[in-house]
Amino acid sequence: MKFSLVADTLGYMESTTKRLELTQHLVDLFKKTPPEIIPKVVYLLQGKLRPDHEGVEVGVAEKIAVRALSKSTGIPVTKIEREYKKVGDFGQATATILEQKMQTTFLKEDITVERVYDTLFKIAELKGNRSQDMKMKYISSLLNDSSPIEGRFIAKIITANLRLGIADYTILDALSIAFTGSKENRPLLEHAYNVCSDLGKVSESVSKEGIESLKHFQVSVFSPVRPMLAERVKSPQEAREKMGNQFAAEYKLDGERVQIHIEKDRVVLYSRSLENITSYYPDIVEKITKSIKSSRIILEAEAVAINEDTGEFLPFQELMHRRRKYNIAKAVQEYPITVNFFDVMFIDGKSCLDMTYSERRRILESVVVEDAFARIMPMTIVRTDDEVEDFLENAINSGCEGLMLKQLDSPYRAGARASNWLKLKREYRNELGDSLDLVVIGAFYGRGRRTGRYGALLLSAYDEDSDSYPSVCKVGTGFTDESLDQFYQILSDKIVVKKDPRVDSGLEADVWFEPEVVIEIVASEITLSPIHKVAQDKIRKGSGLALRFPKFTGKIRFEKTPENATSVNEIITMYNNQKKVIQSEKQF
Ligand code: AMP
């Protein structure tokens, strides 16, 4: 299949911001794609070669890409660099350079999707000293046969700059329409995706074998399962309204969620966003098999930093010291952890997802042998508000964030935020209640002491219904000098020339970012806003919702993807709850 079909689709998609149109372009492309190539097309559309958890990264330094372009066109490096500087986008610069070259030569052959994909895969696998030359050779040979638009997207993919932001859910919609005739079948595709977390695999199955094949998707070791998420509640009463008179209460520890896959001696760890994080936790890999009485199992746990002398739980930030490439052994010693198991997803060849919470907990208690390192999450069955309060008190005193409340007869709902799991935090009961996890979509340059860095950030929530990022506030307080430097550095990688099509903002930022970085914010109130776009027209025509007096808490939520950020529906619920509180206060 010609790569130009994919490049043209990406080109159309770049020029529209409407989700329906984006989906339609994908449907048209999928219908033209032979089933055996479908997975490759699906990965390439997202600038990937394999699902994220496999860690196959094509990322080539721009310097090498520039040299490769020079080699394939005969145009000097300095001229290419000048063009790049002028347009500020390497993909666009590549297209312009290839156009100049086309005026003097003819294209030799059509490049195919297979050729592009296979070449990028070879590049991703190259390692070691001499790899730079080989990478350059592969890229220049591809660009040599590329048209300007093909070259533009190849350049973007190899430098990890394809920022169309085509979300998983848009691709699932398009696959459903293209191969089953309607969007109605999306839940089946979604189920398959939730258990294997591999869009390529799902797309191959539905395009080759049809909708029925999706029912056979099963949990398997070393394929991460998309995690179940919790809704928030503000009080034990609210929890009881949602869950009935008897449910489980577990400690909610403030660490990193880790999905642990074990088969014999092999241990692989996945983060909440399903990245492979095995290398950050060599201590889990080394010790865990001794604590688990099964040789083929998938478990979920919260890894939490502790003070070994006092046994006290330490905040999540401490774990971030392990996020480094070198000297991990030293970090492991300096920042010791405990692993606190709270769920089991698979054991000895059988999925546990359809079992009830009680059954899964029973299995968990029978397979985990507790010691100072491996523990089972403290849990108690609660029947009254007082029992919840007491357990909450215990949890807070032990250094927890609060409680997780879980329905006893509920299955594990992979990939869903469901009301069978609720989170109850102490602060929920004052002011706004909970903190919010918001996505950084833009920034404003700083003045005075903040010159040369960002002075304020523009933040958004996540709108699950339209897969978009509506703005909710501008935040300029809560930053230290250190965090301002850190933001400047982290965000410099995320800058985009044009606002991401999914970003919907009422303010014009100085700089726009790819919506990726999630940070924690507290605020005093949610108010109607003529500027910000969360819940636009939903509460009042012509208004959205905004946060009043937002403040950065100091937590960058590295473990959260932007889709895990606080959703628009959650903000609407918080707004309505806040109104209830104000009304009931007025009655007194
Ligand atoms: P939040 O990040 O506030 O939405 O809370 C959900 C997170 O709490 C999960 O992703 C886990 O990392 C963490 N967590 C801590 N304790 C538990 C528990 N007992 N059960 C489930 N998740 C937990």
Side-chain angles (χ1 to χ4, degrees):
M1 178 175 151
K2 288 184 191 173
F3 181 67
S4 59
L5 284 172
V6 176
D8 287 344
T9 303
L10 288 168
Y12 296 134
M13 293 182 81
E14 219 175 32
S15 62
T16 179
T17 55
K18 298 200 183 80
R19 186 149 182 235
L20 277 181
E21 279 178 26
L22 288 172
T23 312
Q24 192 53 47
H25 286 307
L26 290 177
V27 171
D28 295 344
L29 176 68
F30 291 156
K31 283 188 172 163
K32 288 182 210 147
T33 307
E36 61 279 10
I37 305 177
I38 275 278
K40 296 185 175 176
V41 168
V42 165
Y43 296 132
L44 286 174
L45 285 169
Q46 293 190 309
K48 297 178 187 173
L49 296 173
R50 297 287 306 157
D52 287 342
H53 59 262
E54 290 187 15
V56 180
E57 276 175 25
V58 71
V60 167
E62 277 175 0
K63 231 161 129 190
I64 294 184
V66 168
R67 275 167 49 208
L69 182 60
S70 165
K71 190 167 169 216
S72 72
T73 56
I75 294 174
V77 165
T78 46
K79 189 163 175 205
I80 296 176
E81 282 174 346
R82 225 177 303 134
E83 181 62 31
Y84 178 21
K85 229 181 195 158
K86 193 170 99 194
V87 291
D89 174 273
F90 184 58
Q92 186 49 44
T94 302
T96 313
I97 298 289
L98 289 177
E99 258 160 36
Q100 290 176 13
K101 176 195 154 198
M102 265 178 62
Q103 289 164 1
T104 55
T105 50
F106 293 104
L107 288 184
K108 289 179 207 65
E109 54 179 293
D110 274 335
I111 52 170
T112 59
V113 171
E114 295 90 320
R115 181 174 161 200
V116 173
Y117 181 90
D118 295 345
T119 310
L120 298 187
F121 209 95
K122 281 189 208 143
I123 294 174
E125 284 187 321
L126 283 171
K127 306 236 152 46
N129 286 347
R130 292 195 46 233
S131 69
Q132 309 295 40
D133 288 345
M134 287 301 288
K135 283 185 186 173
M136 215 174 79
K137 217 172 104 201
Y138 284 134
I139 301 167
S140 68
S141 134
L142 260 190
L143 292 177
N144 199 32
D145 294 328
S146 302
S147 69
I149 184 157
E150 289 166 338
R152 171 153 138 228
F153 289 109
I154 290 173
K156 281 178 185 270
I157 295 172
I158 57 176
T159 54
N161 273 315
L162 186 71
R163 286 173 175 159
L164 284 173
I166 308 172
D168 298 347
Y169 291 116
T170 312
I171 291 189
L172 286 172
D173 273 351
L175 288 170
S176 184
I177 298 168
F179 299 115
T180 78
S182 120
K183 218 167 112 171
E184 312 253 296
N185 290 315
R186 195 183 107 164
L188 265 175
L189 281 117
E190 218 174 300
H191 160 76
Y193 179 47
N194 285 336
V195 297
C196 74
S197 310
D198 182 347
L199 274 182
K201 209 162 159 183
V202 175
S203 66
E204 184 171 31
S205 187
V206 70
S207 62
K208 273 192 184 159
E209 294 162 47
I211 190 86
E212 281 300 308
S213 67
L214 297 173
K215 296 186 182 152
H216 307 304
F217 268 70
Q218 279 300 340
V219 179
S220 60
V221 184
F222 309 124
S223 265
V225 177
R226 293 177 29 88
M228 177 163 175
L229 307 172
E231 287 181 359
R232 65 188 78 208
V233 281
K234 283 173 100 172
S235 64
Q237 296 87 310
E238 195 185 339
R240 215 154 27 80
E241 277 162 28
K242 293 199 164 168
M243 287 211 179
N245 286 332
Q246 181 172 302
F247 46 90
E250 293 178 2
Y251 278 12
K252 183 178 192 304
L253 293 173
D254 184 20
E256 175 162 31
R257 187 173 190 158
V258 189
Q259 203 177 108
I260 305 178
H261 290 231
I262 303 175
E263 187 164 44
K264 299 207 175 98
D265 292 337
R266 187 171 168 218
V267 178
V268 179
L269 312 176
Y270 300 99
S271 69
R272 172 183 169 137
S273 50
L274 306 186
E275 257 179 89
N276 185 327
I277 48 167
T278 315
S279 64
Y280 301 132
Y281 295 101
D283 39 356
I284 301 188
V285 175
E286 190 199 317
K287 297 182 197 168
I288 214 62
T289 49
K290 287 182 217 99
S291 308
I292 304 297
K293 289 196 279 181
S294 161
S295 57
R296 215 164 138 235
I297 191 163
I298 305 176
L299 298 148
E300 265 197 316
E302 191 80 356
V304 188
I306 51 152
N307 177 331
E308 276 187 323
D309 298 331
T310 61
E312 206 188 339
F313 291 122
L314 301 175
F316 166 76
Q317 261 61 20
E318 297 291 311
L319 287 178
M320 288 302 109
H321 296 290
R322 287 175 172 233
R323 283 274 190 276
R324 48 163 102 155
K325 279 209 174 105
Y326 308 103
N327 262 336
I328 289 274
K330 191 162 164 252
V332 165
Q333 272 207 329
E334 281 174 20
Y335 304 97
I337 56 165
T338 59
V339 179
N340 302 269
F341 291 95
F342 62 81
D343 222 316
V344 54
M345 296 160 148
F346 176 93
I347 184 163
D348 301 334
K350 242 176 87 191
S351 165
C352 305
L353 300 189
D354 291 331
M355 296 178 184
T356 63
Y357 169 84
S358 307
E359 286 172 292
R360 299 198 312 278
R361 178 81 193 188
R362 207 170 320 120
I363 295 176
L364 196 64
E365 289 175 1
S366 69
V367 293
V368 178
V369 184
E370 289 192 280
D371 58 22
F373 184 72
R375 298 172 187 177
I376 299 174
M377 191 68 86
M379 184 275 279
T380 183
I381 307 276
V382 284
R383 293 175 189 82
T384 62
D385 295 349
D386 284 349
E387 284 174 7
V388 178
E389 289 283 356
D390 288 350
F391 202 55
L392 179 62
E393 202 61 40
N394 284 347
I396 304 272
N397 290 338
S398 317
C400 295
E401 283 186 299
L403 296 178
M404 294 289 288
L405 307 173
K406 301 182 179 179
Q407 200 143 39
L408 296 171
D409 57 2
S410 67
Y412 188 99
R413 304 224 7 232
R417 187 180 296 286
S419 57
N420 328 82
W421 278 18
L422 303 174
K423 44 185 174 175
L424 173 67
K425 290 194 208 167
R426 159 60 54 79
E427 346 49 277
Y428 282 23
R429 280 174 279 153
N430 51 45
E431 286 209 90
L432 234 202
D434 194 15
S435 57
L436 295 94
D437 295 322
L438 300 175
V439 187
V440 185
I441 52 172
F444 303 86
Y445 288 119
R447 299 205 194 114
R449 261 184 54 210
R450 294 187 180 177
T451 305
R453 294 178 295 185
Y454 301 127
L457 303 178
L458 183 61
L459 305 179
S460 78
Y462 178 58
D463 189 333
E464 291 167 313
D465 300 332
S466 60
D467 182 30
S468 62
Y469 294 92
S471 68
V472 68
C473 70
K474 176 178 169 181
V475 62
T477 44
F479 299 101
T480 57
D481 281 352
E482 200 188 356
S483 62
L484 284 174
D485 285 343
Q486 197 185 9
F487 275 119
Y488 199 73
Q489 210 187 355
I490 295 174
L491 292 168
S492 68
D493 265 6
K494 317 288 177 205
I495 296 176
V496 285
V497 181
K498 227 170 82 189
K499 188 165 67 174
D500 187 289
R502 290 171 302 162
V503 165
D504 182 12
S505 170
L507 284 177
E508 239 348 90
D510 294 335
V511 190
W512 294 109
F513 304 115
E514 200 176 344
E516 267 196 3
V517 177
V518 180
I519 66 174
E520 191 180 75
I521 294 291
V522 286
S524 67
E525 207 187 338
I526 300 174
T527 56
L528 286 165
S529 159
I531 297 170
H532 289 293
K533 299 291 184 185
V534 160
Q536 180 71 28
D537 298 331
K538 286 202 175 140
I539 311 271
R540 184 185 296 164
K541 193 123 196 63
S543 292
L545 292 177
L547 300 187
R548 193 146 179 255
F549 301 132
K551 185 175 162 200
F552 175 51
T553 62
K555 283 192 192 175
I556 303 179
R557 306 294 309 249
F558 289 103
E559 84 290 11
K560 288 204 166 179
T561 64
E563 286 97 359
N564 298 144
T566 302
S567 69
V568 168
N569 288 332
E570 286 177 286
I571 295 185
I572 295 175
T573 309
M574 287 166 101
Y575 175 76
N576 289 334
N577 285 342
Q578 164 194 288
K579 270 198 337 207
K580 274 189 225 151
V581 173
I582 296 169
Q583 276 160 5
S584 61
E585 273 167 4
K586 274 188 190 152
Q587 287 165 10
F588 288 99

